[in-house]
Amino acid sequence: MHVPPIPHLTAEDPQLATLIEAEATRQHDKLRMIASENYVSEAVLEASSTVLTNKYSEGYAGKRYYEGQQLIDPIETLAIDRAKSLFGVDHANVQPYSGSPANLAVYLAFLQPGDTVMGMALPMGGHLTHGWSVSATGKWFNPVRYAVNRETGRIDLDEVRDLALAERPKVIFCGGTAVPRTIDFPGFAAIAREVGAVLVADIAHIAGLIAGGAHPSPVGHADVITTTTHKTLRGPRGAMIMATAEHATAIDKAVFPGLQGGPHNHTTAAIAVALREAGTQDFRRYAHHVVANAAALATALTEHGFTLSSGGTDNHLILADLTSKDIAGKPAAQALDRAGIELNYNTVPYDTRKPFDPSGIRLGTAALTTRGLTEEHMPQVAAWMDETVAAALKDDEATIDRIAGEVRDLLAAFPMPGYRAA
Ligand SMILES: Cc1ncc(COP(=O)(O)O)c(C=O)c1O
């Protein structure tokens, strides 16, 4: 049963309520390993479904374009203050609707159409919004892209520096969507300083690890920090942009009125809740546990013959090239989903296959750590993954079904925020 309960929805729109209840059960029964997902707390769920959704509040606290902001202003200010204190930044804007609009606001703040922006190439682990060709950021600006080193699978800062010196980007993005290794923020900052670029750290994936002290912070190195709030940070779907005092006005103007209208106040409130939670000792332990689980899983997968991009992980994320398993990423991800193990197919660096049918899978430990799984469980998870991939190659659906049952049995002992057995 969904928690908080949804009796009014069930009465008024049973068709939709049934789908939502089924999704809650699905999330309970599956080993959710999509690296960008998590389970938010029931307090976050409550905050995001309140009457705050009824209110329009274009502008910023004290400078709104509609009346009736007596309570919205302190809610948004609370979220901002919590972001500033949690990450130790001068300025925070909590209004971006999601990670992609947050990054677009950065372009609007610092670039003119056609200006040069440097980011990690998408197939190397960068995000679409870091200047990839199909994104507005790649169409309307002049993108130059760095890669990972073919041998090590890691970013080579000498190569990044050479490219930056040759291309003189105005903005450099670091961080990404499939980067299993620690981002060297001081190293990127030195390059950005040398070429006079604004350094943007996109910490969407690792924000929770940074908040919990399990990954170095970009604060003091990056001029601007963008993040989603819904991945390791364990908040609602949303985003924030943090910046040094120097760039505060440019960022705020870019978000509103540059790119957006009214902020989603229910999301702002839920972000405030998540930021309070992320400042607790419990969350610190959680962040370290996410990393320990990923390390244990990487070791176990390697023992089962999986080839990991860069040889392992420093954070919550693992990228595996399945070429050595004689299966492509997509059929493997689909079989794993049938076995109750949910992850996504993904390109690996220097992939010879196409993005819609790539060689790899990407997985992460943020959600299963929220459920309470520990390093002890990781050898079992790796063994299930190995057995499922082998079964998929033989069309052995009986084995896949058996594993799905075993996954469900294990997870029954680990409560899920947002769900209670009826
Ligand atoms: C590094 C990074 N930046 C930005 C985004 C965009 O976030 P959203 O999907 O909320 O637009 C993502 C999403 O996965 C991401 O991984």
Side-chain angles (χ1 to χ4, degrees):
M1 191 184 97
H2 193 276
V3 179
I6 51 170
H8 300 94
L9 192 58
T10 305
E12 187 180 312
D13 192 341
Q15 188 182 5
L16 188 63
T18 302
L19 291 169
I20 293 172
E21 289 289 2
E23 172 63 10
T25 306
R26 192 195 68 80
Q27 291 189 13
H28 178 265
D29 290 349
K30 284 250 177 97
L31 203 48
R32 295 180 55 237
M33 298 180 71
I34 291 181
S36 46
E37 295 185 359
N38 211 328
Y39 296 95
V40 299
S41 71
E42 283 157 19
V44 167
L45 285 177
E46 282 179 9
S48 57
S49 61
T50 57
V51 293
L52 298 176
T53 198
N54 296 339
K55 187 76 196 107
Y56 241 105
S57 37
E58 286 184 357
Y60 293 102
K63 284 170 281 174
R64 304 279 186 188
Y65 289 81
Y66 296 96
E67 295 313 312
Q69 311 296 341
Q70 294 84 352
L71 302 160
I72 298 300
D73 278 5
I75 288 169
E76 187 171 322
T77 304
L78 194 58
I80 290 169
D81 288 347
R82 286 178 181 175
K84 282 161 65 174
S85 117
L86 182 66
F87 288 97
V89 289
D90 296 341
H91 181 72
N93 185 310
V94 296
Q95 293 194 2
Y97 298 142
S98 214
S100 303
N103 283 345
L104 208 51
V106 169
Y107 285 76
L108 191 58
F110 299 110
L111 299 171
Q112 294 296 319
D115 280 349
T116 300
V117 58
M118 187 162 112
M120 193 181 204
L122 181 79
M124 298 289 157
H127 191 257
L128 283 162
T129 54
H130 299 180
W132 194 240
S133 48
V134 295
S135 149
T137 63
K139 290 181 195 285
W140 296 344
F141 301 89
N142 173 40
V144 292
R145 301 170 187 122
Y146 54 90
V148 293
N149 181 278
R150 194 184 273 273
E151 306 306 319
T152 63
R154 295 170 185 249
I155 293 167
D156 179 337
L157 281 182
D158 290 335
E159 290 174 19
V160 175
R161 178 171 176 269
D162 289 347
L163 188 63
L165 285 169
E167 301 285 350
R168 297 271 158 185
K170 281 194 173 170
V171 166
I172 299 176
F173 275 90
C174 62
T177 196
V179 180
R181 294 297 180 177
T182 300
I183 308 287
D184 181 352
F185 296 119
F188 271 101
I191 295 167
R193 256 196 318 276
E194 195 175 349
V195 301
V198 171
L199 179 65
V200 183
D202 180 345
I203 61 167
H205 264 267
I206 52 176
L209 306 184
I210 292 169
H215 186 291
S217 169
V219 177
H221 306 295
D223 304 286
V224 176
I225 301 166
T226 62
T227 184
T228 53
T229 45
H230 46 265
K231 299 185 175 84
T232 52
L233 192 57
R234 221 162 58 178
R237 307 301 293 240
M240 307 191 295
I241 307 179
M242 299 175 275
T244 55
E246 182 193 353
H247 298 302
T249 306
I251 291 297
D252 282 355
K253 281 188 175 162
V255 173
F256 176 86
L259 203 62
Q260 298 189 169
H264 295 176
N265 297 311
H266 54 303
T267 301
T268 307
I271 289 173
V273 176
L275 291 169
R276 196 200 62 77
E277 291 174 355
T280 60
Q281 274 309 319
D282 261 5
F283 193 88
R284 277 191 90 75
R285 274 193 291 277
Y286 163 72
H288 286 278
H289 220 139
V290 168
V291 174
N293 277 346
L297 183 58
T299 302
L301 285 170
T302 305
E303 283 165 10
H304 281 284
F306 285 85
T307 308
L308 305 191
S309 183
S310 83
T313 180
D314 298 326
N315 54 31
H316 64 302
L317 186 149
I318 294 168
L319 194 58
D321 181 345
L322 299 185
T323 309
S324 58
K325 292 283 185 188
D326 287 329
I327 189 167
K330 194 180 206 171
Q334 289 169 340
L336 286 159
D337 191 50
R338 294 198 296 283
I341 299 170
E342 187 189 359
L343 42 72
N344 67 283
Y345 58 86
N346 216 95
T347 49
V348 293
Y350 303 101
D351 210 326
T352 50
R353 301 176 66 92
K354 296 265 183 294
F356 202 58
D357 184 21
S359 299
I361 50 174
R362 186 190 71 154
L363 49 141
T365 52
L368 62 78
T369 306
T370 298
R371 287 294 288 272
L373 269 65
T374 64
E375 288 151 271
E376 275 166 42
H377 300 103
M378 296 307 118
Q380 175 65 80
V381 173
W384 278 330
M385 288 178 62
D386 190 32
E387 211 183 343
T388 302
V389 165
L393 284 170
K394 293 182 283 183
D395 289 327
D396 177 1
E397 287 300 317
T399 295
I400 291 175
D401 281 354
R402 193 203 79 230
I403 294 170
E406 290 172 3
V407 168
R408 247 191 328 271
D409 289 347
L410 172 74
L411 290 175
F414 296 92
M416 166 187 148
Y419 176 88
R420 203 165 30 245

